Amino acid sequence: MSLTLVFEISMMLTSGCAVLLAGWLLLQGQRQRAMPALAGFAAMMALWCAGHIAIVQHWHSVGVVLVLANPLMPMFFLHFALQFVSPTAEIRPRWRRLLPALYGISLLVIVTSWFGAGGAITATAGFDAFFIFAGIGWLNLFYTVLLGVAAHAVLWHGWRIHSGNKRRSIVAMFLAGGWGLLLATSFVFPSLGLNWYPYPMLLLPSYLLFLVYGVVRYQVLAINAFANKALLWLGMLLLVLALMALVSALLGQLGMQALAAVPASQLWLYSALLLLLSAACYRPIAALARRLIYPGGQLSEPLLAHWRSQLQQCDSWQALAELAAALLSAQLRQKVTVRLPEAGQQGSDLHIQCLRTEQGWLYQLTGWDDVTPGYRLQGEVFAALLLSNCRILEQSLKLAEAERKRLDQQHLVELGALSAAMAHELRNPLNIISMAAATTLPDTRQHIQQQLKRADRLIADLLSYAGQLQLQCSLVPVKAMLQSVMSQQDWQGVECQLDVPDELLLWADSYRLQQVFVNLLDNALAFCRNQSDAKIKLCAKVGQNKVQLFVHNNGPAIPTAQLPGLFQPFVSKRAGGSGLGLAIVRRIMQAHGAKVQHRSDLGWPVSFVLQFFNQQQGTENE
């Protein structure tokens, strides 16, 4: 094979690849604004290589015209570089105004080179005819180099201002540009009077591939899939060539003289053509195989994207279940039931169920055994996609619930601060009313004082519940404290029994502990004061790890309906009370690391148990 033929094959391969890449880049230009300019660069390289082929084929005039169009290659690349490194969606105004002028100058240089005999044909090593620059053609070459330097200066500026994938792409362009400069150096050998064969130009196909791949590999993911397939087929081609070389060496020893006489180059050519034919037939054969194995299956990327976008719009389990069933039913043209953890539908023959387990989410298909493999495949793919959306929805609902609780907590804090402020402000007008009542009739004054005392108690309860609890703990003698509380109550004939050891001490806030028993005794007296044989009993039980204090009364039992919210504010409100008594008791007990509970199984209709845990031994849960 002559060197001229090798040169032609290299130029043809470069030109063909450049045309294909230019078309592909133009399609990508709908999403990547810089790609059309790069497509122009690839198209001009195809014409430039075609010019060299024309000269070798003795179409000298056509070849010279195409080669002298050389400046448009770096011009398109400069245009691409300006768009690629521009940090905004458009090129800066001054560069946008400069580009038409540069294109005009480039065309002027090309036309001047054409009419000024800027190129000629000469014989050089390995060629009967090869292009050389002459006269005004050197201006063509100088201008081409100048545009290339400007394009790389723009890239250098882009490398300084960008980071991440954009910066990696710029580095790849520099490396590919250096490789292209090394290859193109041999193009000017004959013009400089060097009778050398331009071996580096044989590698020009690699320059174009390296440049385009370096530019778009970080920007267009599709090119990475294309490169992956290209490397796969290239590896297979090299493997076939190696196997054919081995087979060619063994054919003579196996007695196949006719096959052994076939030149190795022809065997390699046939093998390469066979492999290329296989690559061309791969897609239609694969599609036919899918239709045979999965009849009825018509999955595609647009369909999956539509499913994904629709499912992601759901904000509840019921909406997700209904939409998922509607989407798959429309695709399969038969009813499909979807069941999720907190939503479901009426039954049908085909079921998809998504379950949350300890290991994570999983799906189950029920009733799909009798459908075609294609429908089964669509069900599996849709279920996997639905499972992904279940995970996303679960996380979004958790975040929404956490945000709701945060806002509720913030609202309660604000409401508590407002209540405390209002309670303080109410005491001023109450004091004025009390002083004004001093001059009224005795009966009226007594009635006013009773209502003022009630209002003051309501304010005290509101402040206790809304304010912050700051405990001042010390050792409290429980029996003496209870005797003091009992002496403050108006028993009105109610019998009260005290059964607490004299030596019993509690580490607690004395004032807050008295408040607990005052509230409990007020409640007990309110319910059993109007009945005969009313009794209240205060007693204690000391254990190894805890102290229990009991407040029993024989008043009416608390209705079952009130028990779940017994210690909630404004739920267990008695006549004349604030509705905060038991809520304050629970809050004070929790501040002590203790707890309070209601019981009716201790021989009394109503019992409240206060449990204090030994602080030296830690808090215990019962």
Side-chain angles (χ1 to χ4, degrees):
M1 185 180 296
S2 67
L3 291 175
T4 304
L5 180 58
V6 173
F7 180 82
E8 282 190 276
I9 293 175
S10 176
M11 293 297 100
M12 290 176 64
L13 183 59
T14 304
S15 182
C17 290
V19 170
L20 292 175
L21 285 169
W24 185 83
L25 288 170
L26 282 176
L27 293 176
Q28 290 296 321
Q30 299 174 3
R31 291 175 290 181
Q32 302 286 331
R33 61 188 176 88
M35 295 309 161
L38 189 61
F41 168 80
M44 288 310 303
M45 175 163 275
L47 293 176
W48 187 80
C49 293
H52 285 286
I53 297 172
I55 292 173
V56 172
Q57 293 295 327
H58 302 290
W59 299 339
H60 295 168
S61 58
V62 175
V64 170
V65 167
L66 292 178
V67 173
L68 286 176
N70 187 44
L72 282 179
M73 265 198 297
M75 185 61 237
F76 274 116
F77 191 76
L78 175 61
H79 187 174
F80 162 76
L82 287 170
Q83 285 186 312
F84 188 78
V85 305
S86 177
T88 59
E90 295 291 341
I91 307 176
R92 291 182 178 179
R94 64 174 182 272
W95 292 114
R96 193 165 57 245
R97 290 192 296 268
L98 184 60
L99 280 174
L102 289 176
Y103 274 111
I105 295 173
S106 301
L107 291 174
L108 180 61
V109 169
I110 292 172
V111 172
T112 304
S113 301
W114 286 346
F115 290 98
I121 305 299
T122 187
T124 186
F127 295 94
D128 296 333
F130 198 85
F131 177 88
I132 61 171
F133 288 103
I136 195 67
W138 289 103
L139 175 63
N140 182 296
L141 178 62
F142 175 77
Y143 182 73
T144 300
V145 173
L146 188 63
L147 288 178
V149 171
H152 283 80
V154 170
L155 292 179
W156 176 77
H157 174 68
W159 180 83
R160 292 179 56 196
I161 64 175
H162 288 294
S163 61
N165 283 342
K166 186 79 73 125
R167 197 172 192 179
R168 297 185 189 99
S169 293
I170 293 173
V171 171
M173 285 184 236
F174 268 106
L175 296 178
W179 177 246
L181 179 63
L182 179 63
L183 300 182
T185 302
S186 60
F187 162 61
V188 297
F189 286 169
S191 300
L192 298 175
L194 301 175
N195 195 27
W196 297 346
Y197 183 85
Y199 284 105
M201 289 186 70
L202 302 181
L203 299 176
L204 272 177
S206 64
Y207 163 62
L208 188 64
L209 291 175
F210 287 157
L211 178 62
V212 175
Y213 184 56
V215 171
V216 302
R217 65 169 300 192
Y218 298 108
Q219 309 298 324
V220 184
L221 295 180
I223 196 65
N224 294 285
F226 169 78
N228 182 56
K229 293 180 180 179
L231 290 175
L232 173 63
W233 287 106
L234 179 61
M236 292 180 64
L237 177 60
L238 295 176
L239 179 61
V240 168
L241 294 180
L243 289 175
M244 292 309 299
L246 178 62
V247 170
S248 178
L250 295 177
L251 285 176
Q253 300 180 10
L254 297 176
M256 302 179 185
Q257 299 300 330
L259 292 176
V262 178
S265 60
Q266 293 186 18
L267 289 176
W268 289 344
L269 180 60
Y270 298 153
S271 302
L273 290 175
L274 183 61
L275 190 61
L276 291 176
L277 181 62
S278 301
C281 297
Y282 173 77
R283 282 185 174 271
I285 292 176
L288 178 61
R290 282 196 300 269
R291 287 183 177 275
L292 292 176
I293 297 174
Y294 298 110
Q298 297 179 358
L299 289 174
S300 62
E301 290 187 6
L303 176 62
L304 295 178
H306 172 69
W307 281 350
R308 189 180 299 110
S309 64
Q310 291 293 314
L311 294 176
Q312 288 177 352
Q313 297 177 9
C314 298
D315 56 1
S316 68
W317 293 110
Q318 188 63 36
L320 182 60
E322 292 176 357
L323 180 59
L327 289 174
L328 192 54
S329 298
Q331 176 66 16
L332 302 182
R333 295 186 179 88
Q334 62 183 104
K335 184 173 176 57
V336 179
T337 298
V338 175
R339 291 195 176 96
L340 300 179
E342 300 180 25
Q345 298 177 309
Q346 298 296 325
S348 65
D349 294 336
L350 301 181
H351 301 265
I352 294 180
Q353 185 172 11
C354 293
L355 305 172
R356 187 193 301 109
T357 65
E358 295 180 356
Q359 291 75 28
W361 284 86
L362 57 86
Y363 66 84
Q364 294 179 351
L365 300 183
T366 306
W368 293 76
D369 296 335
D370 295 332
V371 301
T372 63
Y375 282 3
R376 173 81 184 195
L377 175 63
Q378 293 184 70
E380 293 278 357
V381 172
F382 186 87
L385 189 62
L386 178 60
L387 209 63
S388 175
N389 280 273
C390 286
R391 297 189 187 98
I392 295 173
L393 180 60
E394 182 182 34
Q395 293 299 320
S396 64
L397 290 177
K398 286 182 179 179
L399 290 175
E401 179 65 18
E403 178 66 12
R404 186 189 64 79
K405 289 182 178 179
R406 186 190 69 81
L407 293 176
D408 288 346
Q409 185 66 27
Q410 181 180 354
H411 177 70
L412 288 176
V413 171
E414 295 172 351
L415 185 61
L418 177 63
S419 300
M422 291 298 295
H424 280 294
E425 292 298 324
L426 284 174
R427 279 185 166 164
N428 292 327
L430 291 179
N431 289 333
I432 295 175
I433 294 173
S434 177
M435 289 184 293
T439 60
T440 62
L441 298 174
D443 293 341
T444 304
R445 184 169 59 252
Q446 182 180 4
H447 180 69
I448 292 175
Q449 293 297 332
Q450 288 178 349
Q451 296 303 318
L452 288 175
K453 184 181 295 185
R454 180 189 172 200
D456 187 67
R457 178 62 182 274
L458 292 175
I459 292 173
D461 285 349
L462 188 59
L463 287 173
S464 296
Y465 187 75
Q468 292 186 348
L469 290 180
Q470 295 181 351
L471 302 181
Q472 302 292 330
C473 294
S474 61
L475 286 176
V476 179
V478 177
K479 187 170 185 177
M481 182 270 297
L482 290 177
Q483 289 174 338
S484 174
V485 171
M486 292 170 61
S487 65
Q488 301 172 23
Q489 301 297 318
D490 182 10
W491 295 101
Q492 297 184 9
V494 177
E495 179 183 352
C496 184
Q497 302 175 1
L498 179 62
D499 185 10
V500 175
D502 295 338
E503 68 278 5
L504 179 59
L505 301 175
L506 279 180
W507 181 259
D509 184 312
S510 177
Y511 171 74
R512 295 297 183 183
L513 195 58
Q514 290 184 54
Q515 193 174 4
V516 166
F517 281 98
V518 167
N519 287 352
L520 292 177
L521 288 176
D522 279 351
N523 272 347
L525 286 171
F527 286 105
C528 61
R529 180 181 288 124
N530 296 325
Q531 67 181 36
S532 60
D533 195 25
K535 294 181 181 179
I536 296 176
K537 182 176 182 179
L538 305 176
C539 57
K541 179 181 179 181
V542 180
Q544 183 177 359
N545 298 315
K546 63 185 176 183
V547 173
Q548 292 179 302
L549 300 178
F550 301 88
V551 179
H552 304 293
N553 72 77
N554 63 350
I558 298 175
T560 305
Q562 291 185 10
L563 293 178
L566 190 61
F567 294 96
Q568 297 295 325
F570 311 116
V571 173
S572 58
K573 184 177 180 180
R574 59 181 170 83
S578 65
L580 293 173
L582 293 180
I584 293 171
V585 168
R586 185 184 65 172
R587 189 155 185 250
I588 293 174
M589 293 296 290
Q590 288 176 342
H592 282 84
K595 66 179 183 179
V596 58
Q597 63 180 148
H598 163 267
R599 295 180 61 175
S600 58
D601 58 343
L602 301 179
W604 294 77
V606 179
S607 298
F608 287 95
V609 184
L610 309 176
Q611 301 185 44
F612 294 86
F613 303 103
N614 191 325
Q615 294 181 3
Q616 282 81 20
Q617 300 180 19
T619 302
E620 154 188 314
N621 293 324
E622 187 174 279

